């Protein structure tokens, strides 16, 4: 049986950053990933890095390409009533965000693993967790050749996303779930065309929410609110552009640039938290423990915040035999998680069209948008959450 100190399930941002942080402390870890490397590197996800995320990656020497190719943003627009209302992030908070695709961070983390020879095993299957309530947990799995393997660990980190096996490995009577689904989804497209505006535009329109974002000076990222049960096959490129043009139209000069679509897909929207984020020697991090609707762009940033706390807790536990930080891991993370849950729910409710809302609800929503756009206090509250609250 192979042995490591920390067995990490999942090579998303959470698993890879945790592995990197632990090795930097001299703690052995092995990452086990179900998909192949190309899939993990190419998967299109959100692309907003909070200020604290960028600072952490810089401190670790992982931000070379992010600093060279990422796009710093000092504000974004709320577009409603056909008009733009700028939220001046940097003026209001002194901080900015960086637009840089999540899969680029995954590529950078994998390159850092290659450079240091840190172990990541792709295409594993049948992953099972055993002995989580002992101090010698084991991970059973099949390697890419189908050979049954076991990894003997001190700790297991469940970084395997929302559909992973780690969370369901916790006995049902030892976890509580908090869940909210939304009656809509996001249709996201990547288009080969320069962004139509230098900043992100979050649009509230009677036909539904739309978002103008970007990846590079040549690639635009766009999203449309669609019904929860829509199928991507029913959305031709033409239909998507027509709908985007309608929702993003303004009174002022603005032209939405069209171009060939490189990727399109539908993402369901959900808020979800499991408590606590730990069971015995299993620690959950990232999407395995919580998900947020993408409106506030918090998903990856929360995963980064979790593993920052976890790497410190595990360093104390495994190198110094002190368990206080491991004991408080879940509570520490959940404070930030619930702030982000609230913020993501708030951005989502403010900007989308709820098909079940009545006229009273619609008036409240418009009032909230107008208040946010006109009050420095309300805009600052939005901005400080958006750029990311400081790590504690
Ligand atoms: N065994 C091994 N690996 C698994 C298993 C399994 N049983 N199940 C899932 N995985 C892998 C997935 O293939 C994926 O690569 O775990 C990884 C989880 O990565 P992410 O889903 O990226 O989750 P996380 O690292 O927590 O990052 C959170 O991802 O979903 C986005 O928007 C979200 O930005 C957020 C970020
Ligand atoms: C993105 O560019 O993918 C993006 C930007 C902002 C969001 C969500 C996603 O709120």
């Amino acid at each position: 049986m192979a042995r490591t100190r920390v067995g990490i399930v999942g090579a998303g941002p959470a698993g890879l950053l945790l592995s990197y942080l632990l090795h930097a402390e001299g703690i052995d870890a092995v990452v086990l990933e179900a998909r192949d490397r190309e899939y993990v590197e190419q998967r299109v996800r959100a692309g907003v890095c909070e200020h604290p995320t960028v600072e952490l990656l810089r401190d670790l020497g992982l931000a070379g390409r992010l600093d060279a190719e990422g796009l710093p943003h000092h504000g974004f627009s709320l577009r409603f009533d056909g008009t733009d209302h700028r939220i001046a992030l940097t003026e209001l908070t002194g901080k900015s965000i960086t637009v840089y695709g999540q899969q680029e961070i995954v590529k950078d983390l994998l390159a850092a693993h290659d450079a240091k020879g840190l172990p990541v095993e792709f295409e594993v299957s049948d992953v099972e967790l055993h002995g989580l309530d002992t101090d010698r947990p084991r991970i059973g799995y099949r390697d890419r050749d189908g050979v049954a393997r076991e990894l003997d660990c001190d700790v297991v980190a469940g970084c395997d996303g929302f559909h992973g096996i780690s969370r369901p490995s916790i006995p049902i009577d030892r976890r509580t779930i908090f869940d909210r689904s939304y009656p809509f989804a996001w249709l996201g497209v990547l288009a080969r065309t320069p962004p139509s505006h230098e900043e992100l535009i979050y649009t509230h329109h009677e036909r539904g929410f739309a978002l103008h974002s970007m990846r590079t000076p040549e690639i635009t990222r766009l999203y449309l609110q669609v019904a929860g049960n829509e199928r991507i096959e029913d959305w031709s490129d033409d239909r998507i552009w027509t709908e985007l043009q309608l929702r993003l139209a303004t009174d002022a000069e603005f032209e939405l640039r069209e171009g060939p679509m490189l990727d399109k897909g539908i993402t369901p929207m959900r808020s979800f938290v499991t408590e606590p984020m730990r069971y015995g020697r299993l620690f959950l991090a990232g999407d395995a423990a919580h998900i947020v609707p993408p409106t506030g762009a918090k998903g990856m940033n929360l995963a980064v915040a979790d593993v920052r706390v976890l790497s410190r807790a595990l360093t104390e536990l495994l190198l110094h035999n002190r368990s206080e930080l491991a004991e408080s891991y879940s509570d520490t993370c959940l404070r930030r998680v619930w702030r982000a849950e609230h913020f993501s729910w708030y951005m989502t409710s403010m900007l989308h069209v709820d098909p079940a809302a009545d006229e009273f609800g619609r008036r409240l929503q418009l009032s909230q948008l107008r208040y946010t756009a006109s009050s420095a206090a309300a805009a600052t509250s939005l901005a400080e959450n958006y750029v990311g609250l400081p790590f504690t």
Side-chain angles (χ1 to χ4, degrees):
M1 187 186 322
R3 174 157 171 77
T4 190
R5 298 212 79 181
V6 183
I8 301 176
V9 189
L16 290 171
L17 183 59
L18 178 64
S19 160
Y20 189 87
L21 287 165
L22 291 172
H23 281 102
E25 296 291 341
I27 299 172
D28 277 351
V30 172
V31 182
L32 300 175
E33 164 61 45
R35 303 290 193 147
D36 64 34
R37 179 165 178 157
E38 195 188 329
Y39 180 91
V40 169
E41 288 191 333
Q42 299 306 326
R43 187 165 43 189
V44 179
R45 294 279 189 71
V48 170
C49 300
E50 287 181 346
H51 175 81
T53 299
V54 172
E55 296 272 275
L56 177 66
L57 295 174
R58 274 189 196 134
D59 288 349
L60 294 170
L62 288 169
R65 210 159 62 89
L66 183 147
D67 278 328
E69 297 172 24
L71 307 169
H73 280 232
H74 301 285
F76 65 79
S77 280
L78 286 179
R79 181 173 286 185
F80 59 94
D81 289 341
T83 309
D84 279 347
H85 309 265
R86 185 164 187 266
I87 304 295
L89 297 172
T90 305
E91 264 170 52
L92 295 167
T93 67
K95 294 172 188 150
S96 56
I97 55 117
T98 303
V99 173
Y100 187 65
Q102 176 176 317
Q103 78 268 32
E104 303 306 322
I105 291 191
V106 167
K107 281 183 206 161
D108 295 344
L109 283 165
L110 282 171
H113 277 69
D114 291 345
K116 294 191 188 292
L118 311 181
V120 183
E121 251 190 273
F122 290 95
E123 295 175 78
V124 306
S125 55
D126 298 343
V127 177
E128 287 179 4
L129 308 183
H130 304 288
L132 295 173
D133 53 357
T134 71
D135 53 17
R136 268 305 166 83
R138 280 171 298 119
I139 307 179
Y141 66 101
R142 287 187 188 279
D143 67 16
R144 53 150 54 90
D145 301 317
V147 179
R149 304 263 179 205
E150 280 213 327
L151 186 60
D152 186 18
C153 317
D154 291 329
V155 162
V156 176
C159 301
D160 48 354
F162 187 61
H163 300 287
I165 52 88
S166 296
R167 190 180 63 254
S169 304
I170 301 178
I172 194 103
D173 59 343
R174 298 294 296 274
R175 54 192 156 102
T176 306
I177 281 166
F178 303 85
D179 199 2
R180 180 156 299 184
S181 58
Y182 300 85
F184 37 74
W186 272 19
L187 188 164
V189 304
L190 205 59
R192 184 177 301 288
T193 183
S196 305
H197 185 66
E198 56 281 9
E199 295 187 334
L200 272 64
I201 309 169
Y202 287 83
T203 307
H204 173 70
H205 187 276
E206 61 187 17
R207 298 180 65 88
F209 170 78
L211 173 61
H212 165 274
S213 178
M214 64 212 64
R215 284 294 174 273
T216 68
E218 294 81 35
I219 305 279
T220 302
R221 178 84 171 141
L222 296 149
Y223 296 95
L224 276 178
Q225 172 186 354
V226 296
N229 55 2
E230 288 283 351
R231 297 176 330 145
I232 195 69
E233 299 78 50
D234 296 329
W235 286 83
S236 66
D237 296 7
D238 266 359
R239 183 177 175 203
I240 295 172
W241 285 120
T242 305
E243 196 59 38
L244 284 165
Q245 294 286 2
L246 285 170
R247 296 190 196 177
L248 285 164
T250 59
D251 303 336
E253 237 168 74
F254 171 81
E255 194 201 333
L256 178 64
R257 293 196 182 118
E258 300 190 4
M261 287 189 186
L262 309 174
D263 187 86
K264 57 181 175 180
I266 293 185
T267 318
M269 294 185 71
R270 189 168 192 182
S271 300
F272 178 99
V273 181
T274 188
E275 292 190 5
M277 288 170 56
R278 173 189 180 185
Y279 169 71
R281 285 287 176 118
L282 169 67
F283 295 78
L284 301 178
D287 275 20
H290 42 73
I291 47 176
V292 286
T295 326
K298 290 290 170 230
M300 182 193 63
N301 295 293
L302 273 185
V304 167
D306 286 350
V307 299
R308 177 182 164 277
V309 178
L310 185 52
S311 70
R312 291 176 181 203
L314 296 182
T315 303
E316 285 290 293
L317 185 70
L318 300 176
L319 295 187
H320 309 295
N321 207 18
R322 285 199 294 259
S323 62
E324 292 84 357
L325 293 183
E327 299 298 340
S328 58
Y329 168 70
S330 177
D331 286 347
T332 304
C333 289
L334 284 168
R335 291 185 80 87
R336 189 178 188 87
V337 166
W338 277 110
R339 180 84 298 280
E341 289 289 343
H342 180 271
F343 178 67
S344 307
W345 164 85
Y346 151 81
M347 285 282 277
T348 302
S349 340
M350 180 168 73
L351 288 159
H352 289 71
V353 173
D354 179 350
D358 58 8
E359 262 322 303
F360 188 84
R362 280 192 277 274
R363 291 288 196 282
L364 290 182
Q365 192 181 20
L366 211 51
S367 169
Q368 181 67 43
L369 278 165
R370 289 177 181 150
Y371 176 56
T372 306
S374 60
S375 149
T380 305
S381 167
L382 191 166
E384 76 164 348
N385 281 277
Y386 194 85
V387 299
L389 292 161
F391 292 135
T392 42

